[in-house]
Amino acid sequence: MPQHTPTPAQWAALEQAARDAARRAYVPYSRFAVGAAILDAQGQIHPGCNVENASYGLANCAERTAIYSARVLHDLQEIVAVCVYTPTATPTSPCGACRQVLNEFGPGMLVRCICDGSERIDTTLDVLLPHAFGPKNLSDAVSPT
């Protein structure tokens, strides 16, 4: 579990930031606009949206956009929570690549997935990505002699 639990007001702000970010998504191919917002350990919210590319494999998901921009612009160190919004009737959880990148900055972070319907997913990253590979695996590695 993260050391900081978002307040109801922070969750509301995260949800709004994720919805707002989805409006800025660049999705000419899939038309599947995703917004994400991460809450860092200092209480700051960082939004992101998905950005597609004609070379489909070069697209970037909303969660990773939020993380990469927060790292560059605000020296992101730790994520406490993430909220992912999809324009669907039921919530959609982060893809595997995003789960791995999220793990780098908060293996036990809280995850909330929201949609246009009333359902939501509230979980933690370690539940979504059990037995994850991360920085600890590298630091625990024994160097060859």
Side-chain angles (χ1 to χ4, degrees):
M1 261 331 224
Q3 64 187 57
H4 309 288
T5 300
T7 65
Q10 287 174 314
W11 274 123
L14 275 170
E15 289 182 19
Q16 189 59 55
R19 289 177 190 276
D20 291 345
R23 291 188 198 95
R24 294 188 297 276
Y26 178 72
V27 291
Y29 310 106
S30 73
R31 308 266 189 248
F32 191 71
V34 179
I38 57 175
L39 177 68
D40 68 24
Q42 287 69 48
Q44 299 299 307
I45 293 175
H46 309 277
C49 62
N50 54 327
V51 178
E52 294 179 346
N53 188 283
S55 177
Y56 296 148
L58 298 180
N60 201 52
C61 297
E63 300 91 328
R64 287 181 282 146
T65 298
I67 292 167
Y68 299 154
S69 66
R71 177 67 187 161
V72 170
L73 297 172
H74 305 285
D75 194 28
L76 175 69
Q77 298 293 315
E78 178 187 357
I79 300 173
V80 173
V82 62
C83 181
V84 179
Y85 162 77
T86 53
T88 54
T90 58
T92 304
S93 65
C95 74
C98 288
R99 293 175 192 197
Q100 182 63 41
V101 174
L102 286 163
N103 182 71
E104 188 75 15
F105 294 96
M109 78 177 67
L110 298 170
V111 178
R112 177 170 288 175
C113 304
I114 60 172
C115 59
D116 290 334
S118 61
E119 291 181 49
R120 74 179 191 203
I121 298 169
D122 279 314
T123 189
T124 58
L125 187 62
D126 54 346
V127 169
L128 291 177
L129 189 65
H131 311 290
F133 176 84
K136 187 170 178 354
N137 297 98
L138 295 175
S139 66
D140 289 349
V142 176
S143 298
T145 56

